[in-house]
Amino acid sequence: MKLILLGPPGAGKGTQAQRLVETHGLVQLSTGDMLRAAVKNGTPVGLKAKDVMARGELVSDEIVVGIIEDRIAEPDCAKGFILDGFPRTVAQAEALDAMLAKSGMKLDAVIELKVDEGILVGRIEKRVAEMTARGEPVRADDNAEALKKRLDAYRAQTAPVSDYYASKGALKTVDGMAPIDDVTKAIAGHLGV
Ligand code: ADP
């Protein structure tokens, strides 16, 4: 199964992706996690992405498309994957279509988690508090200023990705305000599993 999870920062994509990994043995492909690993390891991609990410802006399409293209060609992705945080622009969605067509792959579902923007800041503040309590480092972009930019980027650049898939009749929406287990069930319902 190959699917995309769409939704703003704090919508719960990572939580739901993790559950699908556990229940369906899919691979989670989070461009945010991959980029953070690149920054941590000081790779050439990481060096380019570091400041852009810390500001809450989007890394270039070229970089993330390259990362995903390499990653989905790995053998563990043959069984299926969940794209979490990609595509984030219409150009990325078009590049994804082209790379899937080239490798004879097809998407099974595009699922959008719908949430009220008003609750997102609170959810992210809660995540920061929980990470701090666990002694984990806080993300460089989990601060008020960068978060505002991430939400702006979502509205301007990523919301049109939902329209892109909706116009192809491929978009399914789920109420991301519902309790976590209910969101999981709604996603399973859309996947027919
Ligand atoms: P969140 O959804 O919580 O904002 P992510 O972990 O998905 O966070 O992404 C963190 C940051 O990584 C983004 O703000 C952006 O700078 C960069 N990033 C992740 N995925 C992409 C992408 N597909 N295109 C461009 N930039 C990306």
Side-chain angles (χ1 to χ4, degrees):
M1 187 155 45
K2 297 171 187 68
L3 63 124
I4 297 177
L5 287 181
L6 290 175
K13 300 185 298 288
T15 304
Q16 297 300 331
Q18 208 47 54
R19 290 184 165 208
L20 288 162
V21 167
E22 281 158 25
T23 53
H24 292 83
L26 305 177
V27 184
Q28 178 186 1
L29 305 181
S30 157
T31 39
D33 286 349
M34 293 180 210
L35 289 166
R36 276 186 289 278
V39 169
K40 194 165 163 230
N41 296 328
T43 67
V45 162
L47 293 176
K48 277 191 205 153
K50 188 170 189 247
D51 295 341
V52 180
M53 288 176 77
R55 287 199 297 272
E57 292 166 11
L58 294 189
V59 172
S60 76
D61 289 336
E62 193 193 344
I63 289 182
V64 288
V65 167
I67 292 179
I68 288 293
E69 189 150 33
D70 290 346
R71 189 62 187 85
I72 65 173
E74 297 276 331
D76 63 333
C77 286
K79 202 174 145 207
F81 52 78
I82 308 156
L83 291 168
D84 159 12
F86 179 94
R88 234 178 176 94
T89 65
V90 171
Q92 290 177 21
E94 287 168 351
L96 176 66
D97 276 348
M99 72 177 94
L100 291 175
K102 206 167 88 186
S103 46
M105 292 182 184
K106 220 175 129 3
L107 285 174
D108 295 282
V110 182
I111 296 175
E112 179 179 24
L113 301 182
K114 284 259 193 207
V115 285
D116 295 344
E117 236 190 65
I119 68 130
L120 295 175
V121 175
R123 276 195 186 184
I124 287 168
E125 280 169 355
K126 186 163 166 257
R127 180 168 79 191
V128 171
E130 286 167 357
M131 288 176 79
T132 310
R134 287 198 298 267
E136 294 170 16
V138 171
R139 277 170 46 167
D141 59 351
D142 269 347
N143 58 69
E145 203 182 327
L147 181 56
K148 187 183 171 299
K149 286 255 189 71
R150 281 156 63 197
L151 291 171
D152 288 346
Y154 178 78
R155 253 180 260 118
Q157 290 164 278
T158 310
V161 175
S162 298
D163 301 334
Y164 176 84
Y165 289 112
S167 72
K168 291 171 172 268
L171 189 72
K172 313 252 193 262
T173 58
V174 162
D175 175 11
M177 305 287 284
I180 294 179
D181 285 344
D182 294 356
V183 177
T184 305
K185 279 188 205 129
I187 292 174
H190 280 312
L191 298 176
V193 292

